[in-house]
Amino acid sequence: MTSEPVILGDTRAGVRTLTLNRPDRLNAANDALLLALTEELRAAEADPAVRVVVVTGAGRGFCAGQDLGDVSGRDMTFTEHLNHTYNPLIRTLRGLGKPVVTAVNGVAAGAGASLALSGDIRLWAQSASLIEVFSNIALVPDSGSTWFLPRLVGYHRAFELMALAERVNAEEALRLGLCERVYPDDTFREEVQAYAERLAARPAHALKLTKQALNAAMTGTLDEALDHEARLQQLAGDHWEHEEGVTAFKARRAPEFVREE
Ligand code: T3D
């Protein structure tokens, strides 16, 4: 008997879509799913045909966090488990040299909320929601939620969301800056693909350096950011993409940033 893969992968027009595929559990994460998603992200990084990665969920949920049916009898401590599964996943995703879009199609809870927040771009369906659900089971927010959320909404709102585990709907998420765009449910997947294809047409090398600059700036000083920008700008300026952008501007045509290398 063959079982359904826990991650579905599909590449179209430079966009690699990775779909969490445990819909009857709202894509709650077991170890197989977490390790497979991390492996898929690494493979997408290495594949020159992939310019953008989309992470989304099958069915009505995005990800309901840790599969609570998968915990009892586990032969790892919580710390060991996080270091074995969630932390490599979030580090790989955030460190990817390509834009990652989290396409939040439904509820994102617990570590699923952290995953939803971890994208470079967060697109939500109208019926999606986010719950920092950890305190309902008397756990601490993990998988990066304590890093992402206060940077987005400030300490106090973050603490309230974590302490009360209140559900944030799409309208509120947009207002709070937890997502960039909200799309109707019935056209969500097409809108995500179209958005990701727009990103895929942008200059890949320059975006990779932009991610590096922003990620470093999130934890550094202005002086460090200025020095880092100056170093990265040299790398960008020496790349063919820059020449193409300037040439296209002067010729009054659209730049063509997708090229066999
Ligand atoms: O290393 C470590 O282990 C620590 C790491 C922790 C990371 C974490 O993520 S801790 C947080 C774990 N997640 C949760 O506590 C969320 C639990 N789920 C919920 O609170 C609710 O399901 C939701 C608010 C997410 C959605 O509610 P609703 O009413 O839309 O759906 P539902 O009916 O509750 O769920 C639908 C099905 O999915 C249901 O199964 P059934 O009855 O149809 O057979 C439900 O049991 C299942 N499900 C939902 N979440 C989980 C789950 N099964 C296992 N684990 C889940 N997390």
Side-chain angles (χ1 to χ4, degrees), residues 24-26 28 60 64-68 74 81 111 133-134 142:
D24 56 335
R25 289 278 165 273
L26 302 178
R60 75 174 176 90
Q66 171 63 37
D67 186 327
L68 298 175
R74 199 162 70 186
H81 187 246
V133 76
F134 302 88
D142 62 26

Side-chain angles (χ1 to χ4, degrees), residues 6-7 20-22 27-38 63 89:
V6 282
I7 300 292
L20 281 57
N21 187 36
R22 304 186 70 224
N27 304 312
N30 58 14
D31 287 7
L33 181 145
L34 295 166
L35 298 175
L37 182 56
T38 308
C63 175
L89 168 60

Side-chain angles (χ1 to χ4, degrees), residues 193-216:
Q193 179 67 24
Y195 187 105
E197 286 183 22
R198 272 181 67 197
L199 267 183
R202 305 298 297 160
H205 181 253
L207 294 195
K208 175 180 175 170
L209 299 180
T210 302
K211 283 189 65 167
Q212 272 179 34
L214 276 177
N215 277 312

Side-chain angles (χ1 to χ4, degrees), residues 6-241:
V6 282
I7 300 292
L8 302 174
D10 169 65
T11 308
R12 245 183 317 146
V15 177
R16 178 78 175 154
T17 300
L18 302 174
T19 303
L20 281 57
N21 187 36
R22 304 186 70 224
D24 56 335
R25 289 278 165 273
L26 302 178
N27 304 312
N30 58 14
D31 287 7
L33 181 145
L34 295 166
L35 298 175
L37 182 56
T38 308
E39 269 319 298
E40 284 284 359
L41 289 169
R42 289 181 179 140
E45 178 83 303
D47 184 348
V50 174
R51 294 173 67 87
V52 171
V53 177
V54 173
V55 176
T56 193
R60 75 174 176 90
F62 173 70
C63 175
Q66 171 63 37
D67 186 327
L68 298 175
D70 212 46
V71 174
S72 61
R74 199 162 70 186
D75 61 355
M76 278 186 219
T77 65
F78 281 98
T79 304
E80 285 168 347
H81 187 246
L82 287 170
N83 285 331
H84 178 59
T85 54
Y86 290 100
N87 291 354
L89 168 60
I90 298 297
R91 285 194 176 106
T92 303
L93 191 156
R94 289 294 298 180
L96 218 74
K98 303 177 182 184
V100 180
V101 175
T102 44
V104 183
N105 54 298
V107 65
S114 308
L115 183 62
L117 294 175
S118 70
D120 299 303
I121 296 287
R122 293 87 35 97
L123 306 178
W124 278 37
Q126 186 64 52
S127 66
S129 59
L130 178 144
I131 316 174
E132 289 287 344
V133 76
F134 302 88
S135 62
N136 283 354
I137 55 169
L139 285 183
V140 172
D142 62 26
S143 307
S145 265
T146 63
W147 195 85
F148 296 122
L149 203 56
R151 281 172 170 73
L152 294 164
V153 301
Y155 171 93
H156 297 92
R157 191 77 173 102
F159 181 73
E160 187 186 45
L161 287 170
M162 290 168 175
L164 299 181
E166 283 178 347
R167 192 185 285 254
V168 180
N169 65 24
E171 189 185 336
E172 180 76 345
L174 196 56
R175 196 183 67 74
L176 289 172
L178 306 189
C179 63
E180 281 59 63
R181 312 270 167 120
V182 175
Y183 296 113
D185 288 354
D186 54 356
T187 55
F188 181 63
R189 309 234 179 233
E190 294 77 26
E191 296 280 11
V192 168
Q193 179 67 24
Y195 187 105
E197 286 183 22
R198 272 181 67 197
L199 267 183
R202 305 298 297 160
H205 181 253
L207 294 195
K208 175 180 175 170
L209 299 180
T210 302
K211 283 189 65 167
Q212 272 179 34
L214 276 177
N215 277 312
M218 296 278 279
T219 54
T221 63
L222 173 60
D223 264 347
E224 286 164 346
L226 291 171
D227 287 341
H228 200 198
E229 286 170 2
R231 281 196 303 278
L232 294 176
Q233 197 65 291
Q234 193 62 53
L235 299 177
D238 288 344
H239 197 272
W240 66 260
E241 285 177 349

